[in-house]
Amino acid sequence: MWLKPEEVLLKNALKLWVTQKSSCYFILQRRRGHGEGGGRLTGRLVGALDAVLDSNARVAPFRILLQVPGSQVYSPIACGATLEEINQHWDWLEQNLLHTLSVFDNKEDIASFVKGKVKALIAEETSSKLAEQEEEPEKFREALVKFEARFNFPEAEKLVTYYSCCCWKGKVPRQGWLYLSINHLCFYSFFLGKELKLVVPWVDVQKLERTSNVFLTDTIRITTQNKERDFSMFLNLSEVFMIMEQLADVTLRRLLDNEVFDLDPDLQEPSQITKRDLEARAQKEFFRAFFRLPRKEKLHAVVECSLWTPFNRCHTPGRLFASDSYICFASKEDGCCNVVLPLREVVSIEKMEDTSLLPNPIIVSIRSRMAFQFIELKDRDSLVESLLARLKQVHATHPVHYDTSSNEDMTSPVFHSTNMCSDHKFGDLEIVSSQNREESEKEKSPLLNPEALFTLFQQSDSQSPESHVSREQIKITLWNDHFAEYGRTVCMFRTEKIRKLVAMGIPESLRGKLWMLFSDAVTDLASHPGYYGNLVEESMGKCCLVTEEIERDLHRSLPEHPAFQNETGIAALRRVLTAYAYRNPKIGYCQSMNILTSVLLLYAKEEEAFWLLVAVCERMLPDYFNHRVIGAQVDQSVFEELIKEHLPELAEHMTDLTALASVSLSWFLTLFLSIMPLESAVNVVDCFFYDGIKAIFQLGLAVLEANAEDLCNSKDDGQALMILSRFLDHIKNEESPGPSVGSYHAVFSDDQEPHPVTDIADLIRDSYEKFGDQSVEQIEHLRRKHRIRVLQGHEDTTKQNVLRVVIPEVSIVPEDLEELYDLFKREHMMSCYWEQPSPVLQRHDPSRPYAEQYRIDPQQFTSLFKLVSPWTCGVHTEILAQRTFRLLDDNMDHLIEFKAFAGCLDTMYNGEMNEKIKLLYRLHIPPALTENDQDSQSPLKNPLLSTSRPLVFGKSNGDTTDYQKQLKQMIKDLAKEKDKTEKELPKMSQREFIQFCKTLYSMFHEDPEENNLYQAIATVTTLLLQIGEVSQRSSSGSCSQDAGEDLRAAALCPEQDSVFVDNGTVPQDGQEFPEAGREGDWTVSLEHILASLLTEQSLVNFFEKPLEIKSKLENAKINQYSLKNSEISHQPHAELKLSNL
């Protein structure tokens, strides 16, 4: 294989390598100890060293070096495992390079040329690796077999890819294989006789980052709750990190973020995920974020090409992105030129004649007499064919309404090299609406505002209105000049020049229309004629919790602006917010949406404001406006990292940036509208609609940088927040044509000196100059990184809230209870990994109360019960677990929460004897014990309860008499206690009592006092059978004084020594047991059983001996995966240990 050239000194390797061939520029060498018959000592030592090393750490036995005559520095450019393989590389060099090198005069040019050629070969090999893997999957299949054998996962655990690497354990690297599957990161190493296995579920990963340590410059660090692990020495570390990042992101969203799960189809079929899918997903996420397109938009092709840009009269290199409904272009130089072409606007896509100056060109013509020329397109024919197919589909789905009232022919595609749009009026900006359609909509929805509110409620500024008007007119002139050169529709060329115009502030008369273009809400509006009017009609008049919240906030939305001091503005705001809540019930209504929508209504028509709100909530600020505002929290975390990077002194002073987050969160949620005067904040919104969230990040940094000195001198967080509030409240817009409208959240203090005024244009300009270097790709990477931290933070919050409720109610120490919670959650997760969810088992839903977010079904409960319950009964354990589940399932929904599970275990481990016996008693009466209980059949056939073992108690008459007196007194005392309880437990029938005895016998198995316990339980069982018979003969069925006399007589009767005598009182197989509680039935009560057990000290010792849960928990952590695997496959598996990461 070809190697990336790196310089080495040949003299350091003379003893390890032998030269086989050489030429003027290349040397072929063989490593000592390989291919030698006898060999000298040196060769034997080298061969032995290579032999004991792990196969991944071995050095290839053959290599080719690049040598420059007269230089002592050499560069390895190829290696091979066999002589045949290395000879192929040698022959290629002789045939393709050797004769070419003689034309170079400079030795450095020779080295540069060869290294460049080798790097190109490596690039070609890398790009074709995936295709080779799919065409010849033998290597991948071999890795899959090893993965399954080493980790024993079920078949549902799909392997995505694998890599050779080192895992660092302290200062010691362990060479091995890293396996990345859909739910786990696994590492395996076998080095010098020592085996190492690591298994890390993606849902346990709290941080994933590229870092460096003392030994290596670039490593991948995986951080979980308990440990950090470093992985390094990858062939392509960037690729590995991207795959890891995508897998962690997909898995955490799928399992922990229910609100996003339903919106992204890629998350719903994890078994179909491949390495290629993850690479495509990363590219698709960048595409949607860069152009701020809908989440459902599917990317089909990314092609290197060049676009003719008439404003600078040249072809600009970049990439063409083709999706379901768009053709987009992004220049290689960031910000140079971007284009968004909705297929709705495309008239034709045509191939031009291929020439040397215009290789593989195509022309994309749009309705507004513009055309875009792309050249240097690879595989042009298939690209054009697919584009035409999607174009036809889009036009069939959403027919285009041409504006026939215009004097110009909007359908004529003409390629203009200069001044393409000079003939157009800005009114043509509304690209698809026809007059007839507008008139019909007005008739259909007469209540909708036809104009932006600022035109209805014009505010005049008493201070020099002429100067403000002239400034506004200058801006309009600059924009019109720009439209003439760069285009005026959504398909305009977006360059650095337009960014500068936006930063100056968009003219008020153009603001709403340009917001529609920059956000591409204009395409949504055109694609859904009449949609908003229908929503308004369907949603208005309906009352629910969301509408109540909206009504409560209506009068808090820009109350200082006259547009919202009357019913016209309030009614429009109500309609837009209610219609959106009706459209998207998953978001509904979230506070801060009212502030944003009120500003949108000021500058856009009502229907346009609705589609702008859709664009902001669903595309530009994803996951911001939902139950947990995950998106806003992620961006807050990203903002904190940017502060540490760009303002390190401030970050060092404010060690805890969470206090700052309490203020900056509103910057992101309301785009500075709630904390800055309105006439200044709308300039921020201008930048946001053009540059997206990047504008908010950089403006936030600029605000902090402007106040850095005062913040560093602040004494506490309160003073720091006051500094920021006063600064933001005194940001003015000197060029605004309207009067100043202060922020209604501003903080005022009369005793402070006047604060200096900052102009918003200066602040925005500083933000672009000092902090505008963040690219969309960098921001998206930071978002993925911090989304992991935010989601895990929510998981920790859930855990702490559940534990806070459970800890006071149990005696289990908090540390053990926390580990028990982790086991409970992991049991739920493992079923999500590999099993089809049962109908009752819902996915993790963060919107539910904390205690209900994780619940387990009967199968999961049984698995966990086997691992942690102290009441192990052999094969009977599973039956006991099923009964326990039925007992805890109070609401009969076949799911139990952690609180119920922990309370039950607490009774088993830490309860008093009477509490444990009561629990056992309840496990053997309905609802825990059912008629269909699989262990309730043929009770007399169980060897532990057969009549072959006579059980006798009380050989001495004196002992027996004292025993009966003691028993009678205990029963009376327990009856008094029973009177104090709220609810009396039903009595136990003979069938239920038999099951109770079987459980006790099973629990005593393998106990050190097994023989004594068997004898004691035999005595107690015989006594209780006699008590039941006495109750059967008693007309009342209770243990009265007469019954006590009968009990004494029965106890002295020698025929009653056997435990179970087949005298007709016990039903045979297939015969139903009579129900307990009817007159004449055999019954015993809890008091009878408890009093009888208390007479035997060995039984008392068994139930009162201290039990340790910690060892059970440690064992469960190790064996939980193995048990689940064996349950799924029903086959024995080797032990799989979960890493303590």
Side-chain angles (χ1 to χ4, degrees), residues 980-994:
K980 300 178 183 179
T981 61
E982 297 180 0
K983 184 178 180 181
E984 180 180 357
L985 290 174
K987 292 185 178 181
M988 184 179 283
S989 68
Q990 190 175 58
R991 165 200 173 230
E992 295 161 355
F993 176 68
I994 292 172

Side-chain angles (χ1 to χ4, degrees), residues 229-259:
R229 290 284 187 184
D230 289 341
F231 298 90
S232 63
M233 298 188 184
F234 294 97
L235 184 62
N236 188 342
L237 187 136
S238 296
E239 175 194 297
V240 178
F241 185 75
M242 184 273 293
I243 296 295
M244 283 186 177
E245 197 175 47
Q246 286 294 321
L247 276 172
D249 187 58
V250 166
T251 306
L252 287 171
R253 284 173 176 245
R254 174 168 55 89
L255 298 176
L256 303 182
D257 195 0
N258 192 59
E259 292 165 312

Side-chain angles (χ1 to χ4, degrees), residues 502-555:
V502 171
M504 292 169 56
I506 298 176
E508 301 224 336
S509 59
L510 305 182
R511 179 166 276 139
K513 297 181 183 298
L514 285 173
W515 285 358
M516 291 288 289
L517 291 186
F518 294 154
S519 64
D520 196 37
V522 65
T523 301
D524 289 334
L525 172 64
S527 303
H528 300 83
Y531 177 83
Y532 174 68
N534 293 334
L535 277 183
V536 171
E537 290 183 0
E538 294 173 8
S539 61
M540 295 305 292
K542 295 186 177 180
C543 294
C544 60
L545 181 61
V546 171
T547 57
E548 292 176 5
E549 293 178 355
I550 292 174
E551 288 295 327
R552 190 165 53 247
D553 287 346
L554 285 177
H555 295 277

Side-chain angles (χ1 to χ4, degrees), residues 3-4 120 210 229 254 257 319 406 463 533 544 555 579 587 592 756 837 866 950 977 1036 1044:
L3 300 176
K4 182 179 179 181
R210 291 178 67 167
R229 290 284 187 184
R254 174 168 55 89
D257 195 0
R319 291 188 294 173
S406 175
Q463 300 178 354
C544 60
H555 295 277
I587 292 179
S592 76
K866 292 178 181 178
E977 292 293 328
S1036 63

Side-chain angles (χ1 to χ4, degrees), residues 1049-1106:
L1052 297 175
C1053 183
E1055 301 88 61
Q1056 301 297 329
D1057 287 348
S1058 298
V1059 179
F1060 302 122
V1061 179
D1062 192 4
N1063 55 8
T1065 61
V1066 180
Q1068 300 300 317
D1069 295 351
Q1071 179 180 347
E1072 292 188 0
F1073 290 97
E1075 294 182 2
R1078 296 182 307 188
E1079 185 176 351
D1081 286 347
W1082 187 101
T1083 60
V1084 290
S1085 66
L1086 172 63
E1087 291 75 20
H1088 293 148
I1089 292 176
L1090 185 56
S1092 303
L1093 292 173
L1094 289 172
T1095 60
E1096 293 293 333
Q1097 189 60 43
S1098 58
L1099 295 176
V1100 174
N1101 293 341
F1102 176 83
F1103 283 105
E1104 290 189 347
K1105 67 182 178 182

Side-chain angles (χ1 to χ4, degrees), residues 406-646:
S406 175
N407 295 328
E408 298 172 335
D409 183 7
M410 299 294 290
T411 65
S412 175
V414 180
F415 181 75
H416 294 276
S417 60
T418 59
N419 201 17
M420 293 170 295
C421 303
S422 58
D423 296 333
H424 289 250
K425 298 178 181 179
F426 197 81
D428 295 330
L429 202 61
E430 299 169 27
I431 54 179
V432 293
S433 299
S434 65
Q435 286 185 342
N436 294 334
R437 185 170 65 88
E438 288 180 354
E439 291 174 0
S440 64
E441 285 185 15
K442 288 179 182 178
E443 292 176 2
K444 185 176 181 179
S445 305
L447 296 177
L448 305 186
N449 286 341
E451 300 296 335
L453 292 180
F454 94 95
T455 61
L456 303 177
F457 299 92
Q458 287 281 4
Q459 291 179 291
S460 61
D461 190 356
S462 59
Q463 300 178 354
S464 61
E466 292 82 4
S467 63
H468 287 309
V469 171
S470 62
R471 291 175 188 172
E472 190 80 354
Q473 192 60 46
I474 291 172
K475 286 185 179 180
I476 293 175
T477 303
L478 291 174
W479 276 98
N480 283 331
D481 292 342
H482 185 275
F483 296 141
E485 186 175 1
Y486 294 87
R488 65 179 67 245
T489 69
V490 69
C491 306
M492 68 173 66
F493 291 99
R494 307 184 189 201
T495 66
E496 190 63 32
K497 184 176 179 180
I498 196 172
R499 178 178 282 120
K500 292 178 181 178
L501 285 175
V502 171
M504 292 169 56
I506 298 176
E508 301 224 336
S509 59
L510 305 182
R511 179 166 276 139
K513 297 181 183 298
L514 285 173
W515 285 358
M516 291 288 289
L517 291 186
F518 294 154
S519 64
D520 196 37
V522 65
T523 301
D524 289 334
L525 172 64
S527 303
H528 300 83
Y531 177 83
Y532 174 68
N534 293 334
L535 277 183
V536 171
E537 290 183 0
E538 294 173 8
S539 61
M540 295 305 292
K542 295 186 177 180
C543 294
C544 60
L545 181 61
V546 171
T547 57
E548 292 176 5
E549 293 178 355
I550 292 174
E551 288 295 327
R552 190 165 53 247
D553 287 346
L554 285 177
H555 295 277
R556 304 174 186 172
S557 308
L558 298 186
E560 70 284 352
H561 198 286
F564 298 99
Q565 293 172 356
N566 64 83
E567 187 57 29
T568 302
I570 294 296
L573 182 60
R574 179 188 293 113
R575 288 192 294 270
V576 173
L577 291 175
T578 306
Y580 184 78
Y582 191 80
R583 162 192 165 87
N584 191 345
K586 287 187 177 296
I587 292 179
Y589 170 75
C590 181
Q591 282 190 345
S592 76
M593 288 173 65
N594 60 319
I595 301 172
L596 175 61
T597 306
S598 60
V599 174
L600 298 178
L601 282 167
L602 285 179
Y603 297 100
K605 299 177 183 178
E606 184 176 327
E607 187 174 8
E608 293 174 345
F610 170 79
W611 287 110
L612 284 171
L613 182 64
V614 170
V616 171
C617 294
E618 299 176 12
R619 297 206 303 267
M620 302 186 72
L621 295 178
D623 308 332
Y624 262 57
F625 304 97
N626 54 26
H627 176 69
R628 298 189 296 174
V629 292
I630 292 292
Q633 292 184 57
V634 169
D635 282 350
Q636 279 295 294
S637 189
V638 172
F639 187 53
E640 291 179 12
E641 180 166 334
L642 293 176
I643 294 173
K644 294 174 183 177
E645 178 183 346
H646 293 281

